[in-house]
Structures are given as structure tokens and as C-alpha cells.
Amino acid sequence: MKISYNWLKQYLKLEMPAEDTAVILTDLGLEVEGIEHFESVKGGLKGVVVGHVLECEKHPNADKLKITKVDVGGEAPLQIVCGAPNVAQGQKVLVATIGTVLYDKEGKPFEIKKGKIRGEESYGMICAEDELGLGEGHDGIMVLDSKWEVGTPASKVFEVETDEVFEIGLTPNRADAMSHYGVARDLRAGLMQKGISLELITPSITKFHVDNRSLKMDIEVQNKKLVPRYTGVTISNVRVDESPEWLQNKLKAIGITPKNNVVDATNYVLHGMGQPIHAFDADHIIGRKVIVKNADEGTKFKTLDGVERTLNAEDIMICDAEKPLCIAGVLGGENSGITHFTRNVFLESAYFDAVSVRKTAKRHGINTDASYRFERGINIEDCKYALMYAAVLIENIAGGVISSDVIDFYPKKQEDFQVFLTFEKIDKLIGQKISRDTIKAILHSLDIKVNSFTERGLGLSVPSYRVDVQREADVIEEILRIYGYNNVIFSEKLNATMAYSNKYDDHNIQNVVADQLVAQGFFEIMTNSLVSEKEITTYAGNPEQAVKLLNPLSSDLGYMRKNLVFSGLEVIAYNNNRKRSDLKLFEFGKNYHYIDGNYTENKHLVLYLTGNTQPEYWGAPAQKTSFFELKGVVESLFERLGLKEITILPLEANDTLSSEGFRWQIGETLLGTIGVVKSKVLKDFDIKQEVLVADLHWEVILEQVQDHKVVYKEISKYPEVRRDLALLLDEKVTFADLYEKAYATEKNLLKHVNLFDVYQGDKLPEGKKSYALSFVLQDNNKTLTDKQIDKTMQRLQDAFEKQFGAALRE
């Protein structure tokens, strides 16, 4: 939120530097994240002065250029080449001297330098209004009134306004500080605690006067629960035009683009007082009747931004006798807004239910200054006052007369919050005893009334604008905030308790795994668990099992993710687009489902491998990542966690991974899957390289680790022997089939089976593939003989030939 220091000074007569004020605001909880310098004219017209054209002659080498002699108050006149058609002798003009920095229409700076134009030297520039940022005109140079003295800085001629703008990181609970007046009110309380007493200046509405009653507007509020207060008034015969310069500068300082005097006045009240005001073209309100009601489901409505939206039955609408005019508290309609043809205005100032506005804004993907404030809660008591203030302001800057009484629908007045504050609770929460007089002074500075005072505590009335102060703890927080957190005395003694942590707790096991993966070159990622509807319907399968948010942050974050894999693919695509293609990533995260009326969440560990595992260098070419590299990483994790007796089975068909992958199991319990992401999925994410993924069921792994008991055995004294087989097989035969058959055939001597090469190509018969397997044999009691080894390998070969029709490749 941006706060103009000049604007703030309208409510508090501050004399301290902006930097000191920023420190106080930050101490009060209104954290100033930065201070920007604002100038109503960019560059502040520094280096631009009033000049007097002494001579003006035609350029000898150019028909459209003239050579001038201009007195700018220096020792001698400056020769300046000028191409403006209206430059003439005797004029008072604006001259940008050598070294002056001006800005083009895109805001890019350029420096005025000594130059030579068509052979004639030029020592400055006589400026048009668009070159100085004073307007759009470029038909000729600006000619000033003759009263201005030569050498007068242009900043004095045009009264360039400078300002300091605070960027405040406002927390959502501080709805009371979403305006300049609200910040000034808080700042006054902070200054009072420091012994500086300043009057809070409230804008006057004494000039509000009903001139006639010629434009009466009837108001009907149908949903009184969601619209507890609605006020309105009409203004006739306005002149819609540009706002005065002071108003434009106020809005520009906080990043608001001026539109016209009526709309700018409503924005001024919004950002000044915190109360949204909406202006309608009264001539477009059919039947001179304003009806506040729920929308008809499915109604089409085009808003001010030109987008046609489909209304929901829960949306509150401002309507006339025939049609909707505005989405209440969010955005007006295209055909009811203020234009240069508007002559009669209906002003609205209302209080709309915060939850209702928030849901409507999120539902339609709209975020406006008004909805931002309504969503967090405004002061219901300010509605009528702000309306009258806006009406007086519009009268002053746009003319017109107030043509109706203020219509104020407010059937049930909102009472102030009642809180009883005990001194014991204050001392306990703050940790030290604060003077009772200090407490009362702070409460008074916060407009919190003390209704009763006893030895036990205080009976308080909290003003309606403090929607976040409704409990005893909230009041104590306010006291401490104004008293100053820095003034709380801390003990030099530090107490801590030792918490027992089981080594098999989730976070401990997670740290073990993460450390090992990082040591192997992986980077941990953390992704958002909220996803778009497109991801749910396109990739996740069974969209009816998706968890949909009732109040999403945006239309792109309306669901809880069902598959962690896709979050990682988004990260890979993001990195690929920034020329980072070699990636080793992992993430711990949860998947969410809604099945048979129950919500479930399951934690997973997903590993991603893509690109090259070894970069190219002079001694060797780049080495591409492989399926077996990722398999080895995962199996090393299993070994680190002590998981044994893991079986490898073919991967069941799914929409994400290709069939060449497989799954790990212990008995019937699934530990995880590994495979190559299908090209169709990669294409949807705009990924143009192979991605390997291992998706591990973390909660299942934790359960298996809990039952793990450390056992050991001595390393065998006798050597291992390796033998290889190159087999020609049918395409349907998998490594898992050969793996299981090998261990079923030789249970004693066979220690390891590994697939180290796969070949499919035109050199093999159709429907065939070649597998190269290695077998490690070992006897723990003696050294194997060649006879034993050959006999074992023959049994394995015979088993493969008999069951799978395998043949040895020559």
C-alpha cells in the first residue's frame, strides 16, 4: 500500500523528516518497506530555465530550422538551433541547458548535450510541453507570459510538486489503516506515546447543502444481511473534465492514473478516508430506482474492463428497475459509468459483507481497490460521512448541485465491541507491569473508550472501525504495539526444554534421505500444493476425486493437487525456459483426494532426472542421464534405510509414465514407481527432453523403516565371479521376468542380477530385442570352481530358453 507523505500531512501537521516518520510507522506495525521520491514532473525540470529569444534567423543549410540567440541569465546568450515553427524573436521560452536530463514518452532518460546541427553549433534545447512532461502538445515550443524573469527555474513557473511515498506492507487484519486517514490516526497514537501531541484533522463536510430535490432516487435493499448499510445522493449538472492539478498529483504519487474529475474524486475519498465510493451516470438508471439484490443465476454482465461475466446467484448486484448496473463492492458495469457526456451523477457509499465480496471477487477473478477494502472490513459508521465529503468535493471541482437528500438505509445500527480487560492478563501476556495510567492513555489515543475502572480491570468499548479488535488479547496487542515492543524488558536468562525425538520420526528420516540426495547432486524443490482446474481435468484422472477449494486465491489455484509429479514438471519447464536443462531434483510433498465422502492426503517423495548427468568437456563427450542412474539412486536410498527383500515388478499402465518402467514392492506393499514421462505429457508442459521420474510412497516407506532391525554378517572370504549372457528375446519379455526366473533357478550361489545393455533395431528379427545381463555368483564357504560356475550358468540358460524362448546371441 502506498501512502503519500504530503497527503498524510493534511491530517497531521507533521514537521519531522519522512525517514523518521517511517521508523515510527514500522514500530507501530505498519512496516515501511521503502520510500520513493515522487515528482509531479519526472526529473523535476532540473536544468530547465526561462529564456528570452533575442534573435531568430533562418538556418542557412535547412529550410525548417532556425538559429536563435537566447538569454538564459548567463554571461552570454546561447546559440540554439530550433525546429519549432512558432519560435520567434522576443518570446519567453523554456530552455533545457547543457547537462539537463529529460525523459521521452516511454520514460527513458536522455541528456541535452552540445551538438552541431547541419553545420551550426547548438548549446541547448528550446522545449515543447511534451518534451518536458507538461502535456501532450508537440505543435511548437511553449511560449511563456512575458512577466517571467530570465533564468527563473522552470520548477517555479509550474510549481513542480515533490513528495515522499511510503510503501507499507500492510497485514490483512489492519483494515483500519487502509487509507491515509487511518495511517494518520495510528501515527497520532504512536506520537502521543513519545510525548508529541498532534491534532487529527478530519475533513470538513460543513459545506454540504441540498440545493434542490429535482433528482430523487429510490433505494431498495433486498438482502439486508449482506448489505447492512447503503447510502446515496444525486448531483445534477456536473461538468466531467480533467481534475485539477493538485488532485492529479495526489493520485499519481500513489500510482493511480487520473481519469476525470468525478472518478478522481471518488478515488481521492477511497484512498484518503478508506471508504469506497461509486459514481453512476444517473441518466442510465432506469426508473430512477436503485435495487440492491442477489443476481439471477447465469445472467450475463459486462463490467467496466470490457469483459462479459456470468453472474452467480450469490453475487450481490446494484440494479435499476430493469438491469444490473454494478457488482456490489467489486466493479461497475460498462454502461453505467462516468463519461465525458455524463451530466447527472448518483453517488453510492455502502457497507457490503466482507466474506460475500471476497467470494464474488475471487469467483470472477477481479481485484480492485474497492474490493480490497470491502474484503477486509471497512467502517460502517463512515458511509454517510464519506458520501457527503465526496459530494462536496465533486461540487467544488466538477460543478453541479446536490439534487436530493442523502438516502441512508441503516436499519440496525452496529454497536461498538464490548471488551473487559483484566490487568492480570495484561501483565501476564506482556511479561512486565505497565503503569495503569499509561494503559489508559494508550487506549484513549486509540479511540477505545474506558467505560468502567476497577482494581481488577477495565470495561472498554472498541470503535467499529477496529474490526480486528474484539477480544481481550487483541486489546493487549494494541497496547503493546503503541507502548513499543522495543520498550519491553527481556530477561538475560534463557530457559529451554529438551524435546525427545525418535530417530524414526518423519523429519529425522526425511533429513537422512535429503542429505544423501544432496550429496549425490540433487536439489530440493518446494512447489505449491494448489493447482488449476486444467491440471486436474487433463492429467490427474478421476477429476471427481479432486479437492476443490471453496474460497480459492484465484481461478488458477482452485484445487489441491492430486499428483506431485506435475508440480515438478512445471519446475523443469521453468528451468528449461531459462537455459537450465541438466537437472537433478527431489521434493517431499502431499497429494490430496476426495474419495467416497472422505478427504485424504498422502505424502510422497518424487525424484526427477533430466538432461546430462556429466557435462561436455575436452576429454569426453556429454553423458546423458539414464534410467538406470535414477534406479541406482533410489535403490541406494532403500539400502541406506535398511529396506530388504524388495521385489521389482512391471509397471501397471498409467497416463503419466511409459510401460518401460517398473515398481518396487515389499510383499504386496507398493513402495514406489519409476519410469520415463510420456512424450504427450512432456509436450503439454512444453518440455523437449526426456524426463525420468521416481515416485515413492513416503508414508509406506516410513512404516517399513519402523520395523527395521539392524543385522550384519561377515564379509565372505571367498571371491565373487561374474558371468554375462547376451539373450535374444521376444519384445514382451521384461527384465523383471528374467530376474525372478534367475533367482528361482539358482537360490544358493546367485547374488546379483543386472541388466547392462538393451538393443532393439533393424539388425534383429522383427518383434525381438537383445538383453545383456550380468550374473554374480559366490559361495560363502569355499572358492567356486569352473565346473560349478559353468553348470550354474547352463541351468540359467536352459531355464530362459525353456520359459521365454531365449536364444544366445553370437
Side-chain angles (χ1 to χ4, degrees):
M1 182 181 72
K2 294 184 182 294
I3 294 294
S4 156
Y5 199 33
N6 288 348
W7 200 337
L8 200 63
K9 290 177 181 178
Q10 293 180 190
Y11 306 114
L12 284 177
K13 296 302 181 183
L14 297 163
E15 296 180 356
M16 63 181 67
E19 292 75 12
D20 294 345
T21 303
V23 171
I24 297 174
L25 288 174
T26 299
D27 289 342
L28 290 171
L30 304 178
E31 182 180 0
V32 177
E33 298 175 341
I35 303 177
E36 297 178 1
H37 183 70
F38 168 79
E39 295 169 323
S40 57
V41 177
K42 194 166 185 179
L45 299 179
K46 295 183 180 68
V48 181
V49 298
V50 175
H52 183 208
V53 180
L54 302 176
E55 299 177 12
C56 182
E57 298 177 355
K58 184 178 178 299
H59 194 295
N61 302 319
D63 293 336
K64 294 184 178 181
L65 297 180
K66 295 177 182 178
I67 301 175
T68 66
K69 298 285 186 180
V70 185
D71 180 10
V72 295
E75 294 180 358
L78 300 178
Q79 176 171 299
I80 299 176
V81 177
C82 181
N86 64 327
V87 64
Q89 182 178 350
Q91 292 174 334
K92 291 288 182 70
V93 294
L94 291 175
V95 179
T97 56
I98 301 299
T100 299
V101 176
L102 299 179
Y103 297 83
D104 61 19
K105 291 183 179 180
E106 285 73 38
K108 296 179 181 178
F110 63 93
E111 184 180 347
I112 303 300
K113 300 178 180 179
K114 173 186 173 181
K116 185 173 284 190
I117 303 175
R118 293 290 184 95
E120 296 293 335
E121 291 185 335
S122 183
Y123 294 88
M125 183 171 77
I126 305 175
C127 301
E129 63 178 31
D130 67 328
E131 293 166 333
L132 296 173
L134 297 172
E136 300 295 327
H138 194 71
D139 295 336
I141 59 169
M142 293 187 72
V143 180
L144 303 178
D145 192 291
S146 59
K147 69 178 182 179
W148 294 106
E149 293 186 10
V150 170
T152 302
S155 57
K156 290 186 177 181
V157 176
F158 293 96
E159 296 182 357
V160 175
E161 182 176 342
T162 60
D163 196 358
E164 303 297 329
V165 181
F166 303 128
E167 182 66 46
I168 294 180
L170 193 67
T171 53
N173 65 306
R174 292 302 308 276
D176 64 294
M178 292 188 298
S179 66
H180 287 76
Y181 185 80
V183 172
R185 185 170 48 201
D186 222 38
L187 181 57
R188 179 196 60 167
L191 291 171
M192 288 178 67
Q193 179 62 21
K194 296 180 180 295
I196 304 172
S197 182
L198 294 178
E199 178 188 359
L200 183 64
I201 303 170
T202 303
S204 173
I205 56 172
T206 57
K207 293 184 179 180
F208 180 87
H209 174 71
V210 178
D211 297 288
N212 60 61
R213 293 173 176 82
S214 61
L215 189 58
K216 185 177 181 295
M217 199 73 63
D218 292 328
I219 293 178
E220 177 187 342
V221 178
Q222 296 185 2
N223 194 328
K224 299 176 178 62
K225 181 180 179 182
L226 299 184
V227 190
R229 189 171 192 183
Y230 190 93
T231 66
V233 72
T234 60
I235 307 173
S236 301
N237 300 321
V238 299
R239 298 183 303 277
V240 179
D241 204 343
E242 285 189 353
S243 297
E245 192 171 339
W246 70 265
L247 178 53
Q248 292 194 44
N249 289 340
K250 285 287 186 291
L251 296 178
K252 287 177 181 177
I254 60 172
I256 305 296
T257 302
K259 294 180 174 61
N260 58 60
N261 45 15
V262 174
V263 173
D264 292 348
T266 63
N267 279 328
Y268 183 75
V269 175
L270 166 68
H271 292 278
M273 303 303 297
Q275 171 66 44
I277 305 288
H278 192 81
F280 297 87
D281 189 323
D283 295 329
H284 290 176
I285 300 177
I286 297 174
R288 290 194 178 182
K289 186 172 185 179
V290 174
I291 305 171
V292 186
K293 63 178 183 179
N294 288 78
D296 295 328
E297 182 71 37
T299 301
K300 302 295 184 182
F301 180 67
K302 184 172 286 189
T303 46
L304 276 172
D305 54 6
V307 177
E308 186 176 74
R309 292 180 159 86
T310 302
L311 300 180
N312 185 283
E314 294 183 4
D315 296 335
I316 299 295
M317 301 296 295
I318 312 300
C319 308
D320 61 17
E322 295 182 1
K323 64 184 183 302
L325 303 172
C326 172
I327 303 177
V330 180
L331 190 61
E334 185 179 53
N335 298 320
S336 64
I338 302 300
T339 69
H340 285 283
F341 302 103
T342 299
R343 291 296 173 263
N344 302 310
V345 174
F346 171 68
L347 277 186
E348 163 199 282
S349 176
Y351 181 96
F352 301 113
D353 179 74
V355 174
S356 174
V357 173
R358 187 182 306 121
K359 287 184 176 180
T360 296
K362 298 301 181 186
R363 188 181 298 122
H364 296 292
I366 305 173
N367 182 28
T368 62
D369 287 334
S371 68
Y372 178 83
R373 284 156 179 80
F374 279 122
E375 288 174 22
R376 287 154 179 80
I378 61 171
N379 182 15
I380 194 170
E381 294 299 320
D382 279 350
C383 290
K384 184 176 179 180
Y385 166 80
L387 179 77
M388 297 169 71
Y389 178 41
V392 170
L393 182 59
I394 290 173
E395 264 194 312
N396 289 338
I397 65 176
V401 292
I402 296 175
S403 303
S404 74
D405 292 312
V406 173
I407 307 166
D408 188 2
F409 172 83
Y410 194 16
K412 185 178 180 181
K413 181 176 173 59
Q414 180 173 303
E415 301 296 332
D416 290 343
F417 304 118
Q418 302 299 313
V419 177
F420 187 78
L421 178 65
T422 61
F423 294 128
E424 180 184 1
K425 189 73 170 180
I426 297 174
D427 298 340
K428 183 177 180 181
L429 283 184
I430 294 179
Q432 73 182 55
K433 192 171 184 177
I434 297 177
S435 163
R436 304 320 184 208
D437 290 337
T438 300
I439 290 173
K440 287 194 291 183
I442 290 174
L443 293 173
H444 174 72
S445 71
L446 292 168
D447 297 333
I448 298 176
K449 294 181 182 178
V450 178
N451 299 324
S452 62
F453 180 86
T454 66
E455 291 185 2
R456 182 167 170 263
L458 304 170
L460 307 174
S461 292
V462 181
S464 59
Y465 66 81
R466 288 312 304 266
V467 294
D468 61 322
V469 181
Q470 301 184 24
R471 306 170 302 162
E472 186 179 19
D474 298 331
V475 178
I476 296 172
E477 181 184 359
E478 289 300 293
I479 293 171
L480 183 55
R481 185 172 64 83
I482 303 301
Y483 179 75
Y485 293 102
N486 295 333
N487 295 325
V488 176
I489 300 172
F490 293 94
S491 171
E492 295 181 359
K493 181 181 179 182
L494 178 64
N495 297 322
T497 57
M498 299 296 293
Y500 170 74
S501 178
N502 190 308
K503 69 176 182 178
Y504 294 116
D505 285 348
D506 185 348
H507 67 277
N508 288 327
I509 301 299
Q510 188 169 310
N511 286 339
V512 169
V513 169
D515 287 345
Q516 179 159 327
L517 289 173
V518 169
Q520 291 176 304
F522 281 77
F523 288 89
E524 184 171 9
I525 60 174
M526 298 176 68
T527 58
N528 198 341
S529 57
L530 303 177
V531 298
S532 66
E533 183 177 7
K534 177 184 177 182
E535 180 171 313
I536 293 295
T537 55
T538 305
Y539 311 116
N542 299 321
E544 70 280 357
Q545 295 180 358
V547 178
K548 184 177 182 179
L549 301 185
L550 294 176
N551 186 24
L553 294 173
S554 70
S555 57
D556 292 334
L557 301 172
Y559 290 82
M560 304 293 287
R561 67 179 169 218
K562 289 184 64 182
N563 193 332
L564 185 61
V565 170
F566 299 118
S567 298
L569 292 179
E570 289 181 352
V571 174
I572 291 172
Y574 182 89
N575 279 271
N576 284 175
N577 290 337
R578 286 153 183 80
K579 307 301 181 183
R580 294 184 62 87
S581 56
D582 304 335
L583 301 170
K584 290 183 174 182
L585 308 173
F586 73 95
E587 179 176 13
F588 292 94
K590 290 183 177 181
N591 295 335
Y592 304 87
H593 298 84
Y594 179 71
I595 303 174
D596 298 330
N598 297 312
Y599 292 98
T600 63
E601 55 182 59
N602 306 106
K603 193 170 185 178
H604 286 242
L605 165 62
V606 180
L607 289 76
Y608 308 87
L609 205 58
T610 184
N612 294 323
T613 188
Q614 181 67 43
E616 180 183 20
Y617 68 104
W618 69 270
Q623 183 178 341
K624 189 179 178 182
T625 55
S626 70
F627 178 89
F628 295 102
E629 180 183 357
L630 184 58
K631 172 179 177 288
V633 169
V634 175
E635 291 184 345
S636 69
L637 290 180
F638 290 157
E639 186 174 347
R640 175 68 180 83
L641 297 175
L643 300 180
K644 304 292 184 181
E645 300 178 357
I646 298 175
T647 56
I648 298 178
L649 299 172
L651 187 64
E652 296 177 348
N654 65 74
D655 296 330
T656 308
L657 303 180
S658 64
S659 59
E660 286 300 316
F662 56 78
R663 65 185 193 271
W664 291 281
Q665 289 188 184
I666 294 182
E668 297 299 319
T669 303
L670 178 65
L671 295 181
T673 57
I674 184 174
V676 181
V677 179
K678 289 182 175 179
S679 57
K680 178 183 179 301
V681 176
L682 294 179
K683 184 178 180 180
D684 289 339
F685 283 89
D686 197 26
I687 298 174
K688 299 178 176 60
Q689 60 189 56
E690 184 180 74
V691 178
L692 305 165
V693 170
D695 185 359
L696 308 182
H697 296 223
W698 183 250
E699 291 168 349
V700 174
I701 291 174
L702 282 180
E703 290 178 5
Q704 297 295 326
V705 172
Q706 303 291 333
D707 300 330
H708 171 62
K709 293 182 180 179
V710 177
V711 295
Y712 72 95
K713 59 182 178 180
E714 292 184 1
I715 297 175
S716 176
K717 302 176 184 178
Y718 305 100
E720 296 177 344
V721 176
R722 169 176 165 163
R723 291 291 186 269
D724 298 342
L725 288 178
L727 301 176
L728 188 64
L729 302 157
D730 289 338
E731 283 184 338
K732 295 181 180 180
V733 179
T734 66
F735 170 64
D737 297 331
L738 300 173
Y739 184 92
E740 291 177 1
K741 187 62 180 176
Y743 278 105
T745 303
E746 177 53 62
K747 300 179 180 179
N748 297 322
L749 301 181
L750 186 60
K751 302 301 180 184
H752 301 290
V753 180
N754 184 42
L755 175 64
F756 63 87
D757 185 54
V758 178
Y759 174 73
Q760 285 180 290
D762 54 7
K763 296 182 181 180
L764 297 179
E766 186 176 352
K768 296 290 185 178
K769 64 181 176 182
S770 172
Y771 271 5
L773 299 100
S774 66
F775 303 86
V776 176
L777 308 175
Q778 184 182 40
D779 191 326
N780 293 328
N781 300 313
K782 61 182 178 180
T783 302
L784 291 172
T785 63
D786 289 342
K787 185 176 181 181
Q788 286 177 292
I789 297 168
D790 292 342
K791 185 178 179 181
T792 301
M793 293 304 298
Q794 188 61 50
R795 282 207 313 275
L796 291 171
Q797 181 181 333
D798 292 343
F800 294 152
E801 290 176 353
K802 182 177 180 181
Q803 183 156 346
F804 304 114
L808 284 179
R809 287 194 66 196
E810 297 296 332

